[in-house]
Amino acid sequence: MAKMQFKSESKRLLDLMINSIYTHKEIFLREIISNASDAIDKLCFIALTDDKLGMTRSDFKIEIKADKDARTLTVTDNGIGMDKDDLENNLGTIASSGSYQFKQELTEKQDDIDIIGQFGVGFYSAFMVAKEITVITKKYGSDVACKWQSAGADGYEIEECEKDGLGTEIIITLKDNTDEESYDEFLEQYRIQGLVKRYSDYIRYPIMMEMKKSRVKEETKDSDKPEYEDYFEWETLNSMVPIWQRAKKDVTQEEYDKFYSEKFMAMDKPVKTIVTSVEGVVTYKALLFIPSATPYDYYTKEYKKGLQLYSSGVLITDNCEELVPEHFRFVKGIVDTADLSLNISREMLQHDRHLLTIAQNLEKKIRRELSSMLTSDRENYEKFFKAFGRQLKYGVVSDYGMHKEDLQDLLLFYSSTEKKLVTLSEYVDRMKEEQKFIYFATGENAAAIDALPQTELLRSKGFEILYCTEDVDEFTLHSLMTYKEKRFCSATNDDLGIENDEAEKEDEKDGTALLTFVKETLGDKVAEVTASKKLVSHPVCLTAKGGISFEMEKYFNSVQPDSGMKAQRVLELNLGHSAVRTMESLIQTDIDKARKYAEVLYCQALLIAGLPLENPSEYTDLVCELI
Ligand code: ADP
């Protein structure tokens, strides 16, 4: 029997497989099983019209056998089979355009071996683990069977042989173990079982394996020392019908929850399950879950966003990042579309038009679902928001605010008047007639914000304040700039847009000398000293002038201590407060003491604003002196 050579382009791919240093060699099994399933599809179709075949859909199956002594792994199907020409054309060359494209890409990017593991490379991938492959096959309509055999690079042989029944048997003789690599794992039944579950669980035909099991020997059943014996039993390894292919009405929430926790190894229950099936320009089914708890690694680099991508029940990739936008990166789930080829590479995936359309549809769908949850199931929405609200806020801030319109109505902030989380829309609907801005105040927590002197006036006017307690909150509002044409305004802003009444104006005039005195005393520490319009019971407070707020100053200095970021400080004095009045009268009688008062009051304003004192011991000395 003459040795035949592989076609040159196939040879290159083959070389790559044989010498592969790729760690995910396991995907070869997925490839072989997918081929078997395709072959069955073809014969199954013929069986519909050819009664002579005498086969119905339930007769079709794929079998796997592992022989530890011979070190062979055999995958058998009763599909359409191949004749001599097919073997030459299909296994002697790279048949599919997908594989060819793959090869082209490899030629351009030789170092990118990684894509082997991610995408279909077909029959040849078996050479990553095989030292020899034998294919025994009999084609529908053919009288003879053929045997194809190859030990890789130096070509293949084809000869006629005997075989009962139609279909193909692929016998893979595993490579010898080396110091670095053991191929024996592919003979272990639990490993094979795991691989089938992982990559081929939704192949539509049963994938069967004769499993070795253990049981108590019948005759020792009742004895004190029961003895065990091995026995073999055929088992179907795959679940065949994926849950997302079943009609929503036929699946219980418990089943979805179970699938979610098994598939994504999640401990929580999803707060929302989204099932969608689309037919049209693109055809796909998607099953998405919105978790109720933040995964422990969510805000780390370890967390990988993305959905699982299947093509007709075969896993293409575990994490197709392109399918979900960054602001919904918490969504887990799967997408199954027949519009993709198994042989698609990562580069091709990124630019695939079908996939882009699916991603856009899914983004809208997730948004709609969240929005309807917000209106109709507030309790669960708040649960979700506690877990992932921060992500939505990042979404508003990132990409230069590109997604803010889409996300603003999904945001919640704690309200000073409602004492619960509210939406921006609810806030604006409640705004008082004379109220110009949407007010917010920033601090560690609600209690700290309530204690801020700057919020006193707002509260006394009955204006609602949104509490910003997370570092991203204030940035979010800055990014939004306005909501329904209302501007956001920080309580620490020097202009709260509240009209002075006459009495306050009088006060302001009276205080001019005092304000000048305090400004001169404090020098560059403050940009301005003003008569406060917002203080009611506190003597002083600090507000920020210009674009940088205190919270921004604190945030930037915490992430980059030498950032030099400093908000311009405006010291506001409550001219009616007794401490301020005392200072004023001291200017005449004891100017040194008046200066000390000014210093102490300034330090107090810093402390209340949560800003560090420049010299804490000087401050305590001063206080003691005055006491
Ligand atoms: P692809 O599956 O992408 O076409 P492969 O290299 O995996 O590429 O397979 C090449 C061809 O060999 C297949 O298209 C199919 O025609 C044939 N083939 C492979 N395995 C089988 C099988 N088990 N039964 C019938 N034909 C097969």
Side-chain angles (χ1 to χ4, degrees):
M1 178 91 247
K3 251 228 160 94
M4 291 190 264
Q5 293 302 310
F6 286 104
K7 302 266 161 52
S8 63
E9 71 270 29
S10 313
K11 205 162 181 304
R12 291 208 47 163
L13 184 53
L14 193 59
D15 283 344
L16 209 117
M17 292 303 154
I18 295 168
N19 302 313
S20 171
I21 47 152
Y22 190 67
T23 42
H24 289 76
K25 296 184 161 74
E26 61 188 38
I27 57 106
F28 80 91
L29 191 60
R30 172 190 80 174
E31 301 297 310
I32 298 294
I33 290 175
S34 289
N35 281 346
S37 166
D38 290 347
I40 292 178
D41 271 345
K42 288 177 195 155
L43 192 61
C44 201
F45 183 72
I46 292 170
L48 293 176
T49 51
D50 184 353
D51 295 337
K52 286 205 290 299
L53 197 61
M55 289 179 93
T56 61
R57 197 181 177 300
S58 60
D59 296 322
F60 292 102
K61 59 176 186 289
I62 298 165
E63 283 178 9
I64 303 181
K65 256 189 223 122
D67 182 335
K68 284 190 177 173
D69 298 330
R71 296 189 79 251
T72 56
L73 187 67
T74 304
V75 179
T76 309
D77 67 69
N78 53 356
I80 189 147
M82 285 176 275
D83 60 16
K84 186 161 181 283
D85 285 349
D86 290 337
L87 284 170
E88 291 242 349
N89 293 332
N90 297 341
L91 302 187
T93 186
I94 296 175
S96 77
S97 58
S99 300
Y100 188 68
Q101 180 116 20
F102 166 80
K103 194 216 82 167
Q104 296 279 57
E105 275 171 24
L106 276 185
T107 323
E108 284 155 25
K109 289 181 84 183
Q110 275 292 355
D111 53 347
D112 196 1
I113 301 287
D114 203 49
I115 53 180
I116 294 173
Q118 302 282 336
F119 306 103
V121 285
F123 176 79
Y124 288 95
S125 61
F127 278 107
M128 288 195 286
V129 300
K131 66 175 176 189
E132 185 178 71
I133 301 178
T134 305
V135 179
I136 296 170
T137 176
K138 189 168 180 187
K139 189 175 178 172
Y140 165 74
S142 176
D143 301 330
V144 287
C146 281
K147 179 159 121 181
W148 178 100
Q149 203 157 27
S150 169
D154 43 303
Y156 59 89
E157 290 170 6
I158 299 178
E159 64 187 18
E160 284 187 7
C161 69
E162 291 296 316
K163 181 182 185 319
D164 297 332
L166 301 178
T168 304
E169 200 176 313
I170 313 261
I171 305 157
I172 296 165
T173 308
L174 293 173
K175 284 184 185 178
D176 297 331
N177 296 329
T178 63
D179 288 344
E180 297 88 47
E181 201 106 39
S182 163
Y183 296 91
D184 286 349
E185 58 172 309
F186 299 116
L187 297 169
E188 296 298 338
Q189 64 181 28
Y190 73 89
R191 177 78 168 125
I192 298 168
Q193 196 177 16
L195 289 178
V196 171
K197 240 356 220 169
R198 176 164 164 72
Y199 293 106
S200 314
D201 199 31
Y202 306 116
I203 291 286
R204 292 183 297 276
Y205 307 100
I207 302 170
M208 321 263 312
M209 186 157 77
E210 211 174 10
M211 305 286 277
K212 187 175 173 183
K213 299 186 171 180
S214 177
R215 67 181 161 205
V216 178
K217 276 188 185 165
E218 188 61 28
E219 56 272 24
T220 67
K221 212 168 66 186
D222 300 322
S223 87
D224 294 343
K225 284 194 187 127
E227 286 173 30
Y228 288 84
E229 64 180 359
D230 290 340
Y231 71 101
F232 289 86
E233 194 172 73
W234 284 97
E235 219 175 82
T236 304
L237 305 183
N238 55 332
S239 37
M240 292 189 275
V241 184
I243 194 165
W244 61 86
Q245 294 287 3
R246 291 163 58 193
K248 195 178 174 187
K249 63 174 176 39
D250 297 335
V251 186
T252 62
Q253 188 57 45
E254 285 69 45
E255 283 177 285
Y256 282 132
D257 289 354
K258 184 166 173 280
F259 175 79
Y260 167 76
S261 62
E262 282 175 1
K263 188 86 173 175
F264 304 107
M265 284 181 272
M267 312 294 274
D268 60 328
K269 262 203 173 110
V271 78
K272 181 101 204 154
T273 305
I274 305 171
V275 186
T276 169
S277 173
V278 173
E279 277 176 37
V281 190
V282 286
T283 299
Y284 64 89
K285 288 201 160 74
L287 172 58
L288 310 179
F289 297 98
I290 298 177
S292 58
T294 332
Y296 71 95
D297 60 350
Y298 188 69
Y299 290 104
T300 72
K301 275 195 285 203
E302 298 343 295
Y303 181 86
K304 297 259 179 297
K305 76 154 185 165
L307 303 178
Q308 288 201 337
L309 178 64
Y310 285 81
S311 173
S312 303
V314 178
L315 179 66
I316 303 233
T317 172
D318 250 344
N319 261 354
C320 184
E321 291 182 30
E322 290 73 23
L323 283 171
V324 269
E326 199 57 23
H327 50 265
F328 292 149
R329 67 201 286 274
F330 45 81
V331 175
K332 305 238 184 243
I334 70 97
V335 171
D336 194 346
T337 171
D339 296 336
L340 286 176
S341 127
L342 249 191
N343 291 321
I344 192 161
S345 77
R346 180 166 284 290
E347 283 76 13
M348 284 155 75
L349 264 186
Q350 270 167 6
H351 301 113
D352 189 88
R353 265 187 28 253
H354 289 297
L355 221 57
L356 282 178
T357 315
I358 297 175
Q360 281 163 1
N361 288 356
L362 292 181
E363 199 272 345
K364 280 196 212 111
K365 177 81 185 166
I366 298 166
R367 205 151 22 95
R368 275 202 307 273
E369 292 284 341
L370 285 175
S371 169
S372 86
M373 187 157 94
L374 173 59
T375 36
S376 62
D377 186 5
R378 185 71 169 241
E379 197 185 327
N380 265 325
Y381 187 83
E382 288 188 11
K383 198 168 170 190
F384 152 76
F385 195 81
K386 286 211 172 82
F388 300 107
R390 176 187 282 261
Q391 180 66 64
L392 297 184
K393 294 175 204 163
Y394 282 138
V396 168
V397 177
S398 61
D399 293 337
Y400 306 101
M402 211 165 93
H403 314 286
K404 63 183 183 185
E405 305 270 306
D406 290 341
L407 298 176
Q408 60 187 5
D409 285 312
L410 296 176
L411 300 179
L412 294 176
F413 292 92
Y414 195 80
S415 148
S416 63
T417 53
E418 304 301 301
K419 305 286 177 214
K420 60 176 188 187
L421 291 167
V422 300
T423 65
L424 295 176
S425 166
E426 288 160 357
Y427 181 104
V428 169
D429 288 350
R430 268 195 298 267
M431 269 170 83
K432 301 207 168 190
E433 216 168 298
E434 71 275 23
Q435 187 180 343
K436 275 206 223 150
F437 302 133
I438 303 174
Y439 296 108
F440 65 90
T442 311
E444 286 282 299
N445 49 48
I449 295 174
D450 278 340
L452 283 176
Q454 291 95 327
T455 59
E456 268 193 319
L457 179 68
L458 293 175
R459 280 186 286 124
S460 73
K461 293 240 173 218
F463 292 161
E464 185 172 356
I465 305 169
L466 300 176
Y467 291 166
C468 292
T469 49
E470 279 188 326
D471 52 8
V472 66
D473 286 346
E474 200 178 338
F475 292 104
T476 309
L477 300 181
H478 276 290
S479 290
L480 287 174
M481 286 191 288
T482 59
Y483 178 81
K484 293 196 178 160
E485 292 164 16
K486 302 284 182 202
R487 266 185 39 219
F488 289 96
C489 176
S490 165
T492 57
N493 211 313
D494 58 338
D495 178 14
L496 292 179
I498 298 171
E499 294 299 319
N500 274 347
D501 52 35
E502 285 310 305
E504 280 171 338
K505 275 190 189 146
E506 280 304 305
D507 271 355
E508 212 173 311
K509 265 188 238 134
D510 286 352
T512 322
L514 171 67
L515 299 178
T516 316
F517 167 78
V518 177
K519 169 69 183 122
E520 275 170 13
T521 307
L522 297 175
D524 289 345
K525 288 180 195 163
V526 292
E528 243 176 82
V529 180
T530 61
S532 181
K533 298 163 208 160
K534 34 176 114 79
L535 291 174
V536 181
S537 64
H538 289 76
V540 281
C541 74
L542 272 187
T543 53
K545 207 173 123 174
I548 305 166
S549 69
F550 296 134
E551 294 313 314
M552 285 166 132
E553 172 181 325
K554 280 184 241 169
Y555 175 76
F556 281 107
N557 288 326
S558 70
V559 290
Q560 196 190 339
D562 58 352
S563 70
M565 181 74 81
K566 198 162 181 191
Q568 285 194 58
R569 289 142 167 69
V570 176
L571 180 67
E572 293 195 12
L573 300 182
N574 179 353
L575 299 185
H577 196 279
S578 60
V580 177
R581 290 205 166 159
T582 312
M583 171 167 67
E584 193 174 16
S585 55
L586 279 170
I587 299 177
Q588 312 301 329
T589 56
D590 185 350
I591 193 148
D592 267 353
K593 199 166 183 184
R595 285 201 184 100
K596 286 174 187 162
Y597 261 70
E599 291 284 356
V600 168
L601 287 172
Y602 169 65
C603 288
Q604 286 188 346
L606 279 175
L607 287 174
I608 293 171
L611 292 163
L613 295 180
E614 277 145 43
N615 196 334
S617 63
E618 206 170 273
Y619 167 71
T620 47
D621 288 350
L622 266 178
V623 173
C624 290
E625 218 183 300
L626 294 175
I627 290 170

